Amino acid sequence: MKNKSKLLLIIYLLFSTTSFAQTKDSVTVAAIIKEANENSQLENLANELMNGIGPRLVGTPKMQQAHNWAVSKYNNWGITARNEKWGEWRGWERGISHIDMIHPWIKTLEGTQLAWSPNTGGKTLTAELVILTDAADSIFFQRWLPNVKGKFVMISMNQPTGRPDYNWAEFATKESFEKMKRERTQQTDAWRRRISKTGLSAKNLALALEKAGAVGIVSSGWSAGFGVNKIFGANTKKIPTVDVALEDYGLLYRLVEAGKNPKISVRADSKELGMMPSFNTIAEIKGTEKADEYVMLSAHFDSWDGATGATDNGTGTIVMMEAMRILKKIYPNPKRTIMVGHWGSEEQGLNGSRAFVEDHPEVVKNLQALFNQDNGTGRVVNISGGGFLHSYEYIGRWLSQVPALYKQGLETRFPGSPAGGGSDYAAFLAAGAPGFSLSSLSWLYGSYTWHTNRDTYDKIVFDDVRNNAILTAILVYMACEDPAKTSRERIVLPANPRTGEPTQWPVQRSPNRKGGVD
Ligand SMILES: [Zn+2]
């Protein structure tokens, strides 16, 4: 063969393989999209998880129920799945809680017991309220403490407005809006000083009130939106802690200030269950060529329990489950092993994922890529290279196969910088493994749904979630098929602008494997 024809042959072979590869990828991508749109299981999954099971607080029977549900879903789709124990947590089960104002008039109040709060011992507790005093210092505070005996203590500031700022911005005069914000800032600072002058941390303040004979603690964690409060865990050990909605908290507060001696009754029937095992749900589709290399899907499975954890992280959860289902159907023999992690106890410090990283060095070492989603129901609009120098090359290559419709508004940042926390991909990043966050559009996540009493099914935007399931499935497919293993070379981190010291790559941390106990 002459040189010229040899060259032509090479060119021919080169083009034919490329076009074959393009055809194969685009056929698979089209099949993924078709399955996602025409046979979507997202609504079903969300209904079963958020409405059928409900909130998924670590250590509760509902969390366990959710783990078992996920395993059986995967098994029904022909995917191997298991619950992997990584630790244990103080077990607690929410019961009925009821909060009523019974004097000076009767009103059932909107509120709930905080997570892990003690119960009311099978009784309804009735008492007057007292507002945490503005003591000059810790000595005066200690002298005031006996006043809480036999009373419910109100420990949160009374918000001056229940209207979110965007509502003021739309309707108030500029002067009025500015004045409200100024006064609210002063009031907020004064309340912070009031707490700090007790000389106690939030936790120790609760315990001091309990020791001084308070009947219970009433707080209000307004989340800066209409009708929305954040619901976290209690600091008390014997007496109940309840969160009351801004509107009702303000009602009680103003009545106390006016000397009307309002009285409330509280009933809370939660149960203590001792230490409970805690798990991650892991499912996988074995690779056919490079079975010991992994592409992971990732989303924490646990939630706070003020609502049903629909967007934190029900939506991330169903995105990963749906992507797994689609991949099993369209791409059942992946080149690399596809694995999904549904982590327990992200909310208390990435415990499930940190445990997995510690327990599975073989996966972490051979991780091609991990995609985590955990900031709400919105379309993915941000992907960062996480500080991996060559992330642009491979993520760029994978994204190029995603049709424009499914990456509308998507911005990428390469090489980006490594996250030290925030969600479970950080547990992998800290171990030097390429974990990436698929970051969503807000839909007012921070104020309306994140850890709130309004994080419910109705807040899910299914078209956006479907978009994310498609995007995730395509990225996983591309990462599996990539002929090259991903590079882990790190960027040189810039100096801290404040101290001038070089910034360090986040360090791998051990999980809390025995949680909820002191
Ligand atoms: Zn979350």
Side-chain angles (χ1 to χ4, degrees):
M1 220 185 273
K2 276 192 212 138
N3 268 350
K4 198 177 170 191
S5 41
K6 221 186 230 170
L7 187 72
L8 279 175
L9 182 67
I10 289 168
I11 289 172
Y12 170 77
L13 286 173
L14 207 70
F15 273 86
S16 62
T17 29
T18 321
S19 76
F20 171 73
Q22 273 170 357
T23 314
K24 186 187 163 221
D25 287 346
S26 55
V27 165
T28 308
V29 165
I32 287 172
I33 293 170
K34 187 171 192 293
E35 176 65 21
N37 284 325
E38 291 177 11
N39 188 32
S40 178
Q41 297 302 307
L42 290 168
E43 285 84 350
N44 267 340
L45 291 171
N47 194 28
E48 289 182 22
L49 182 60
M50 264 58 84
N51 301 329
I53 297 173
R56 300 165 300 282
L57 185 72
V58 62
T60 61
K62 290 205 166 297
M63 179 82 255
Q64 185 57 53
Q65 201 187 335
H67 283 298
N68 295 341
W69 168 82
V71 168
S72 86
K73 277 282 150 195
Y74 281 120
N75 290 341
N76 287 343
W77 296 331
I79 299 172
T80 324
R82 61 184 184 272
N83 290 329
E84 253 186 45
K85 187 183 168 191
W86 55 265
E88 48 180 8
W89 211 272
R90 173 182 164 192
W92 184 82
E93 185 172 21
R94 191 173 274 286
I96 287 171
S97 60
H98 214 274
I99 309 164
D100 301 277
M101 180 170 81
I102 55 159
H103 180 84
W105 47 284
I106 290 174
K107 183 179 191 297
T108 291
L109 305 178
E110 187 187 351
T112 192
Q113 194 182 4
L114 292 188
W116 293 292
S117 157
N119 60 35
T120 56
K123 293 183 298 232
T124 298
L125 306 176
T126 301
E128 286 183 0
L129 297 132
V130 59
I131 297 167
L132 185 78
T133 193
D134 191 9
D137 58 28
S138 63
I139 296 163
F140 277 91
F141 177 73
Q142 290 297 330
R143 268 187 220 153
W144 171 83
L145 252 185
N147 288 300
V148 306
K149 195 169 166 56
K151 303 237 167 83
F152 284 102
V153 188
M154 303 179 78
I155 61 160
S156 300
M157 180 182 108
N158 182 29
Q159 292 291 338
T161 179
R163 295 182 182 278
D165 285 6
Y166 64 78
N167 188 237
W168 280 79
E170 186 174 356
F171 295 107
T173 62
K174 196 169 172 289
E175 296 74 20
S176 166
F177 185 26
E178 289 307 317
K179 176 161 146 271
M180 184 281 287
K181 283 197 287 188
R182 204 166 47 241
E183 288 173 359
R184 186 176 58 190
T185 303
Q186 285 164 2
Q187 199 191 334
T188 306
D189 290 346
W191 194 269
R192 200 172 298 127
R193 280 197 302 278
R194 182 183 296 221
I195 304 278
S196 86
K197 283 185 293 181
T198 66
L200 301 167
S201 65
K203 177 159 185 127
N204 287 333
L205 174 60
L207 295 174
L209 296 170
E210 177 172 282
K211 197 162 162 235
V215 173
I217 291 179
V218 182
S219 62
S220 184
W222 189 46
S223 185
F226 281 113
V228 60
N229 270 32
K230 299 215 184 287
I231 310 293
F232 290 109
N235 286 319
T236 48
K237 294 209 178 303
K238 297 194 187 80
I239 60 171
T241 303
V242 295
D243 180 276
V244 170
L246 171 142
E247 291 79 3
D248 286 339
Y249 190 84
L251 164 70
L252 295 172
Y253 198 102
R254 291 181 196 99
L255 287 171
V256 172
E257 280 194 318
K260 301 287 184 202
N261 306 323
K263 237 185 220 178
I264 60 168
S265 315
V266 174
R267 169 100 190 201
D269 289 344
S270 56
K271 280 192 206 121
E272 291 290 333
L273 303 171
M275 295 306 279
M276 297 269 279
S278 32
F279 298 91
N280 293 320
T281 296
I282 307 294
E284 64 187 301
I285 308 169
K286 268 265 172 280
T288 51
E289 274 177 49
K290 299 177 174 184
D292 60 350
E293 290 185 21
Y294 296 85
V295 178
M296 288 192 76
L297 300 85
S298 162
H300 74 84
F301 205 15
D302 63 312
S303 71
W304 283 100
D305 78 336
T308 55
T311 72
D312 187 13
N313 191 18
T315 42
T317 300
I318 62 174
V319 160
M320 300 309 156
M321 292 182 78
E322 177 73 344
M324 283 295 282
R325 183 190 70 80
I326 294 167
L327 287 162
K328 173 71 185 178
K329 192 157 170 184
I330 306 301
Y331 180 56
N333 300 304
K335 190 183 270 187
R336 296 181 170 85
T337 295
I338 300 175
M339 184 182 264
V340 62
H342 296 283
W343 316 116
S345 185
E346 184 268 356
E347 298 293 1
Q348 291 74 27
L350 319 187
N351 290 307
S353 54
R354 288 195 198 282
F356 183 89
V357 167
E358 220 169 66
D359 298 345
H360 292 279
E362 78 290 358
V363 175
V364 176
K365 191 173 93 202
N366 292 318
L367 187 65
Q368 170 80 342
L370 171 142
F371 303 102
N372 184 75
Q373 204 249 324
D374 177 25
N375 63 332
T377 191
R379 295 184 305 287
V380 170
V381 289
N382 267 298
I383 298 178
S384 155
F388 293 104
L389 189 59
H390 302 289
S391 51
Y392 169 75
E393 291 161 32
Y394 46 89
I395 295 183
R397 195 156 61 229
W398 305 338
L399 274 174
S400 72
Q401 284 299 322
V402 178
L405 184 61
Y406 302 101
K407 49 183 180 188
Q408 290 181 67
L410 178 67
E411 286 176 11
T412 50
R413 222 161 353 108
F414 295 111
S417 51
S423 191
D424 297 292
Y425 66 106
F428 290 82
L429 263 176
F436 304 104
S437 168
L438 305 176
S439 185
S440 289
L441 194 66
S442 133
W443 285 98
L444 300 184
Y445 176 67
S447 50
Y448 277 99
T449 59
W450 181 70
H451 304 165
T452 74
N453 58 340
R454 300 280 182 247
D455 192 9
T456 42
Y457 183 95
D458 52 285
K459 308 305 183 306
I460 299 174
V461 180
F462 280 101
D463 285 342
D464 280 13
V465 176
R466 206 156 0 256
N467 183 101
N468 295 347
I470 291 168
L471 176 70
T472 305
I474 297 172
L475 288 174
V476 169
Y477 162 72
M478 290 301 294
C480 277
E481 285 290 299
D482 202 315
K485 190 161 186 220
T486 50
S487 157
R488 297 181 173 205
E489 195 180 331
R490 302 171 185 183
I491 53 164
V492 175
L493 292 167
N496 182 328
R498 224 165 12 86
T499 61
E501 297 284 307
T503 323
Q504 300 299 316
W505 193 268
V507 287
Q508 191 182 334
R509 298 217 324 254
S510 282
N512 180 358
R513 293 191 193 252
K514 197 170 185 225
V517 287
D518 294 331

